[in-house]
Amino acid sequence: MTFPRAAAADIALLLEGTFPYVSGGVSSWVNQIIRAYPEYRFALVFLGSRRSDYGDMKYALPDNVVHLETHYLHEQWGGAAEGIRGMGGDADAFARADALHEVFKAPPSAAADLTLFREVGRDLLPGGRLTLQGFLHSERAWRAITERYRTQCTDPSFVDYFWTVRIMHQPLWMLARIASELIPVRAFHTVSTGYAGFLGALLANTRGLPLILSEHGIYTKERKIDLYQNEWIRDNRNVFQKDPAELSYFRQLWIRFFEWLGKLCYDAADPIVALYEANRLRQISDGAAAARTRNIPNGINLKRLAALRERRAAGDPPPVLCLIGRVVPIKDIKTFIRAMRIVATRLPAAEAWIAGPEDEDRAYAEECRNLTESLDLTDRVKFLGFQKIDELMPKIGLVVLSSISEGLPLVILEGYAAGVPCVSTDVGSCRQLIEGLDEADRALGAAGRVVRIADPQGLAEAALALLEPGAWREAQAAGIRRVEKYYTDELMFERYREVYRGALEPARP
Amino acid sequence: MSLAATKLGLSALTLETAAYAQLALGGSSEHDLALYLLAHGGASALLAAFNYLLLPAGYRVPRLPLLLLLFGLIFFIPVLGFIGGITSMLLIRVIPSLAPPVKFSSVQLPQLDPHDQVGGVGFRQPGMRGFLGNVEAPVPVRLRALVALSNVPTRLASPLLRDLLADPAEDLRLLAYGMLDGQEKKLNSAIHVTLQGYNGTTDAAARAQAARKLALLYWELIYQGLVHGDLRRHASEQGLRYAAEALTTIGDDPALHFLHGRLLHEDMRHAEANRAYDRALELGLPPSRVVPYLAELAYDQRDFAEVRRLLGMLQGWPALPRIAPVVSYWSLP
């Protein structure tokens, strides 16, 4: 398919693994933001892992998207090794990279000196002194890798170390190429740190333009969850080499890598926007300058969703527990299914709906289905795939979130507006959304229940209690009051208008 | 000694002899002296080259200064220099062969692996539970403690991990979750695979074996502390169902009766559990495995005399160090 192309735009949105190819909370938010500012022309830079991981676009592109380019970071592109002649590698550039890695040894902090990063960033650009070929094939690169292996790596396998380092660094050159070829714009806006944030930092540093960072979750934290859970990172230490209190070296290496990608982005971005206070504090502890951070909570289209309340059947709430979200480990769908085992025993009419795409992590989706089977719940738990909120909301009794990590989930707010209370795990801003943030907010009442993570029993009991008609109606009313007062999209758009204005029209001296 | 060296040596000797002969034959003019010096010089140069070639390879550098030195010694010390030059070279060749041969013994190459150096001291904190639960302790230290838990048997680690799911530090919460989830995932995927085998066959023996394995896996979920509340009850029901089914087909298998007993015990069906344990004993399961559970059963039923009697049977069994304190407590008069 052909993408819109333009010679220039106002704002370049840097999107890693989200809009327009992946549906989900962040993607809907991006869609909302683009459509809210028809006066600005947007260029979209989509970064993905492999082309085959994504299907068609999940969203129609708004008219003010004038430019779209897609890049896949983990597709082979470095070129074949044939015909590569021996090369020494640029001494100065490698020395600078070495010095920068000395800085990277420590965990990121606000005090870290990143002037070197700007120079190394320039070296990475096409035509720069630190080329991908140099990294892959030069003698200096080999020496640097073997030296680091000898002095720092606590895992005995050199082969694993070598490829970890290669796989980790290779995308950086692609990002540098993207940075140098991107059409002229007036400001950059990234919706995560990570690779997109690194690209933003490169762009901001080389072009001298403002970078806005809006973080929904905390990217580094989500990466850590992946890294803590996945099984593909090897630990080759034998029983004598292993310090039982130490994570495998490669795991640590990846965690440090993403921590620093985040820090580099924080260093270049202004403002750094969080969705809620706890995340803002987390950004600061991860190395963001406190003065540049601020909170802008999500907001929803109240008018459209409030209309859904009319479509609800009168009477008691339907015993339908609905989890709206992608079927991925971070949503901990399995805890929801387990909780359903308990709910179904006590309330035989109850059903669990899981409404979200399953294509992002097929193995996990398979695991969830298997669990449904082994808990004998196949007729109680329905996997609906992606569903329109407007169709879903009038038919369900509770919105359930069993995530182990969240930002400020729009789906809770959408539920409130449509008259559906929520049971959620105590993650991200969920407690704030359900019970209220400050005194005035709490006075509005609880719009649901908050439970511990990975606690099927607690989740089931909270859901059963909330399905009691009296409790349900109270929670519904509290939810409606809360969303109307604090979380409308008008409030959010107003705040982002200021942010964009500040970036595009810098104050004249 | 190479042919070239031999030739050089002989030529040097001949030339030197010629030089002295010429001198001895009488001439004392300046002309004669010059002839002598020329012949002596030539002989010295040849001998220096001869010596040079005989030196062991490692001693031949730097070449030019070495040659000049040898030449100098031979040329400027008449007669003695020459004799010394030849004898020293012969000695160099002969002396090493006089020394007794050194005996080498072969040794293994040491495994000098830099990755053995563990930086700092590992986690040596006693009282893991109290420490992990201490929210005031620095997160990185608690994180290390948590990672150390991954080497602890799941049955002991899982209650600690479960406590951490509500910890204020997100990193700890997530890591604890990941560890619990990993364990649970292993068992659940094994259950799934076995269940497929169970449903996919009509052969009674294969079905019974699958049922036995399923009972064991559900029991494992309970034993490892990975299921709680209603889910624990569910696992127990499933375990009992499959154990009963396996028993009807397989029949008298002591281990299966024992497993059945443990599931019944877990389900508080004391009398039935007792019968299952007894049956396992009859069928030949060693008393050291069964009697402690029978004692526990008696304890649950508040039959303390029976506990005392059963544990008395275990007295002096060296194979049970872990319950030795319990046994000695109950054998107090």
Side-chain angles (χ1 to χ4, degrees):
Chain A
M1 80 177 284
T2 53
F3 296 143
R5 295 276 166 182
D10 296 314
I11 298 164
L13 273 172
L14 313 175
L15 307 165
E16 182 179 338
T18 170
F19 185 86
Y21 285 98
V22 176
S23 53
V26 180
S27 306
S28 331
W29 181 86
V30 171
N31 192 28
Q32 231 182 338
I33 284 285
I34 298 175
R35 289 178 192 277
Y37 305 104
E39 64 270 34
Y40 297 131
R41 293 168 303 151
F42 285 90
L44 308 187
V45 181
F46 175 84
L47 303 177
S49 49
R50 283 182 198 80
R51 195 180 301 270
S52 54
D53 295 344
Y54 307 90
D56 294 331
M57 281 191 209
K58 299 286 194 314
Y59 295 83
L61 289 181
D63 293 336
N64 54 336
V65 170
V66 295
H67 181 90
L68 167 66
E69 49 187 82
T70 60
H71 303 278
Y72 299 92
L73 297 176
H74 293 118
E75 260 172 20
Q76 184 67 40
W77 70 283
E82 287 108 52
I84 300 288
R85 292 284 185 76
M87 55 173 91
D90 188 299
D92 292 347
F94 271 97
R96 275 195 292 275
D98 269 350
L100 187 58
H101 280 87
E102 284 303 305
V103 178
F104 289 163
K105 270 188 190 171
S109 70
D113 180 17
L114 291 175
T115 39
L116 259 174
F117 168 65
R118 275 161 223 136
E119 292 172 34
V120 174
R122 272 193 291 278
D123 288 339
L124 289 174
L125 295 178
R129 299 170 71 176
L130 205 55
T131 60
L132 176 61
Q133 294 302 339
F135 169 67
L136 293 178
H137 307 295
S138 77
E139 212 174 306
R140 262 180 232 284
W142 170 257
R143 251 183 277 149
I145 291 176
T146 46
E147 175 64 22
R148 267 168 211 289
Y149 166 73
R150 243 177 247 125
T151 54
Q152 284 161 36
C153 180
T154 55
D155 191 288
S157 165
F158 175 71
V159 174
D160 282 0
Y161 178 76
F162 178 77
W163 286 106
T164 303
V165 170
R166 276 201 160 187
I167 292 166
M168 189 179 276
H169 287 77
Q170 193 158 329
L172 304 185
W173 276 275
M174 179 182 256
L175 293 169
R177 200 193 61 202
I178 299 168
S180 85
E181 289 170 4
L182 184 68
I183 57 168
V185 293
R186 293 156 64 205
F188 307 104
H189 185 180
T190 173
V191 293
S192 64
T193 59
Y195 290 112
F198 179 82
L199 174 61
L202 272 182
L203 283 162
N205 286 334
T206 52
R207 300 198 187 182
L209 290 171
L211 171 68
I212 302 159
L213 166 64
S214 303
E215 261 196 300
H216 284 243
I218 296 288
Y219 182 97
T220 314
K221 188 185 74 192
E222 285 169 21
R223 284 291 176 164
K224 273 190 198 170
I225 299 174
D226 279 358
L227 293 166
Y228 284 147
Q229 285 178 27
N230 77 37
E231 285 138 17
W232 55 265
I233 297 183
R234 301 268 294 266
D235 187 346
N236 301 301
R237 293 174 297 175
N238 65 30
V239 69
F240 298 111
Q241 293 163 333
K242 199 161 175 172
D243 176 348
E246 207 161 82
L247 280 178
S248 111
Y249 184 75
F250 300 128
R251 228 169 262 245
Q252 290 183 48
L253 205 63
W254 278 108
I255 289 174
R256 184 61 48 86
F257 176 72
F258 284 113
E259 281 176 349
W260 273 100
L261 282 190
K263 167 66 183 160
L264 295 173
C265 179
Y266 289 144
D267 200 55
D270 187 12
I272 299 166
V273 184
L275 289 178
Y276 59 101
E277 184 61 13
N279 261 10
R280 191 181 74 89
L281 297 176
R282 172 106 190 191
Q283 289 172 331
I284 294 169
S285 76
D286 284 352
R292 297 195 209 155
T293 57
R294 67 172 81 171
N295 291 322
I296 303 182
N298 282 342
I300 48 136
N301 185 336
L302 196 62
K303 215 182 290 168
R304 181 176 65 95
L305 289 157
L308 300 179
R309 274 178 250 161
E310 310 300 321
R311 286 168 44 194
R312 296 191 71 82
D316 291 346
V320 176
L321 285 70
C322 186
L323 189 150
I324 303 168
R326 298 162 295 136
V327 181
V328 290
I330 202 168
K331 301 281 177 191
D332 197 7
I333 311 279
K334 290 194 286 183
T335 289
F336 177 54
I337 297 171
R338 289 191 189 106
M340 196 53 206
R341 177 65 265 162
I342 300 163
V343 173
T345 317
R346 305 205 193 158
L347 187 67
E351 281 187 19
W353 295 359
I354 295 163
E358 291 170 40
D359 48 1
E360 196 171 317
D361 189 337
R362 288 181 200 284
Y364 184 73
E366 182 65 29
E367 221 180 297
C368 291
R369 282 175 186 277
N370 293 346
L371 183 67
T372 313
E373 233 169 84
S374 62
L375 288 178
D376 204 11
L377 282 170
T378 30
D379 53 340
R380 296 267 141 254
V381 176
K382 293 183 178 158
F383 290 85
L384 303 177
F386 179 74
Q387 294 286 321
K388 285 221 166 75
I389 290 282
D390 302 40
E391 298 299 317
L392 217 51
M393 285 296 179
K395 298 180 201 156
I396 64 176
L398 292 179
V399 166
V400 177
L401 270 185
S402 51
S403 310
I404 53 170
S405 176
E406 277 290 349
L408 190 146
L410 278 176
V411 54
I412 294 188
L413 300 174
E414 289 166 336
Y416 288 173
V420 188
C422 173
V423 178
S424 164
T425 44
D426 187 9
V427 291
S429 62
C430 294
R431 191 176 281 280
Q432 166 184 338
L433 293 182
I434 290 175
E435 295 178 352
L437 180 62
D438 49 23
E439 205 63 34
D441 193 356
R442 266 198 286 275
L444 298 177
R449 300 277 186 280
V450 184
V451 297
R452 284 167 53 153
I453 64 166
D455 180 11
Q457 192 75 24
L459 184 61
E461 274 160 18
L464 286 164
L466 196 55
L467 277 173
E468 294 294 323
W472 189 85
R473 262 179 253 289
E474 263 174 45
Q476 183 192 37
I480 293 170
R481 286 194 293 269
R482 181 159 293 125
V483 70
E484 282 175 349
K485 186 159 179 194
Y486 294 107
Y487 302 103
T488 63
D489 54 3
E490 283 139 27
L491 282 169
M492 176 177 79
F493 293 149
E494 194 42 53
R495 290 177 187 161
Y496 265 102
R497 182 160 288 122
E498 265 170 53
V499 168
Y500 279 157
R501 208 174 283 151
L504 295 174
E505 298 154 24
R508 285 166 209 284
Chain B
M1 204 182 292
S2 74
L3 187 65
T6 318
K7 278 183 185 166
L8 274 174
L10 288 175
S11 313
L13 204 60
T14 318
L15 201 57
E16 184 69 355
T17 317
Y20 280 105
Q22 192 264 66
L23 210 58
L25 284 177
S28 56
S29 64
E30 285 178 359
H31 176 74
D32 292 328
L33 186 65
L35 259 179
Y36 163 75
L37 283 178
L38 199 67
H40 176 63
S44 301
L46 285 170
L47 193 65
F50 166 74
N51 281 1
Y52 176 82
L53 282 181
L54 285 191
L55 278 173
Y59 292 90
R60 287 190 199 161
V61 281
R63 183 156 37 159
L64 195 63
L66 184 64
L67 280 170
L68 282 175
L69 174 70
L70 287 170
F71 175 80
L73 284 172
I74 297 163
F75 182 80
F76 291 109
I77 311 174
V79 190
L80 273 182
F82 208 87
I83 296 169
I86 290 175
T87 45
S88 62
M89 285 308 127
L90 290 175
L91 283 179
I92 282 180
R93 286 277 145 180
V94 172
I95 285 172
S97 61
L98 292 179
V102 182
K103 283 203 181 102
F104 291 103
S105 59
S106 67
V107 290
Q108 284 276 310
L109 258 182
Q111 293 270 336
L112 289 179
D113 188 340
H115 307 286
D116 281 340
Q117 309 162 350
V118 176
V121 183
F123 194 80
R124 306 277 180 272
Q125 179 81 27
M128 189 81 103
R129 178 171 220 137
F131 185 76
L132 276 170
N134 176 10
V135 289
E136 300 299 320
V139 172
V141 187
R142 292 171 73 211
L143 207 57
R144 286 172 68 85
L146 184 51
V147 175
L149 260 191
S150 60
N151 299 304
V152 171
T154 316
R155 175 175 161 71
L156 301 175
S158 69
L160 289 144
L161 292 174
R162 202 158 285 277
D163 286 348
L164 283 173
L165 291 179
D167 199 87
E170 188 156 34
D171 277 2
L172 284 167
R173 220 159 57 206
L174 294 172
L175 185 55
Y177 171 81
M179 287 162 70
L180 273 175
D181 188 58
Q183 295 297 337
E184 210 166 323
K185 204 192 260 184
K186 265 187 222 155
L187 283 174
N188 273 319
S189 72
I191 288 177
H192 180 74
V193 171
T194 317
L195 207 54
Q196 276 181 329
Y198 174 80
N199 290 327
T201 177
T202 48
D203 176 40
R207 249 177 108 81
Q209 284 306 328
R212 177 203 186 115
K213 193 170 173 196
L214 280 169
L216 196 63
L217 287 167
Y218 277 111
W219 166 248
E220 201 66 16
L221 272 179
I222 298 169
Y223 179 75
Q224 306 280 12
L226 294 170
V227 282
H228 293 267
D230 291 23
L231 289 171
R232 190 184 175 106
R233 202 164 312 133
H234 175 80
S236 153
E237 279 164 21
Q238 298 293 318
L240 278 170
R241 195 188 114 198
Y242 288 113
E245 191 185 325
L247 275 174
T248 52
T249 315
I250 299 175
D252 285 340
D253 180 300
L256 193 54
H257 276 285
F258 181 62
L259 175 65
H260 191 216
R262 299 218 57 191
L263 282 159
L264 288 164
H265 190 167
E266 169 64 31
D267 204 30
M268 314 281 266
R269 288 152 72 173
H270 295 139
E272 291 166 81
N274 217 333
R275 275 200 296 281
Y277 285 148
D278 282 343
R279 187 81 188 110
L281 266 180
E282 281 166 35
L283 291 169
L285 210 63
S288 61
R289 280 191 63 193
V290 186
V291 171
Y293 293 102
L294 275 170
E296 191 185 334
L297 204 55
Y299 181 83
D300 288 345
Q301 292 167 301
R302 297 292 179 265
D303 184 353
F304 301 122
E306 179 68 2
V307 176
R308 191 180 275 270
R309 186 187 73 79
L310 286 164
L311 288 179
M313 287 163 62
L314 295 179
Q315 227 167 355
W317 280 59
L320 300 167
R322 281 177 62 199
I323 61 161
V326 181
V327 173
S328 77
Y329 175 82
W330 281 91
S331 61
L332 289 175

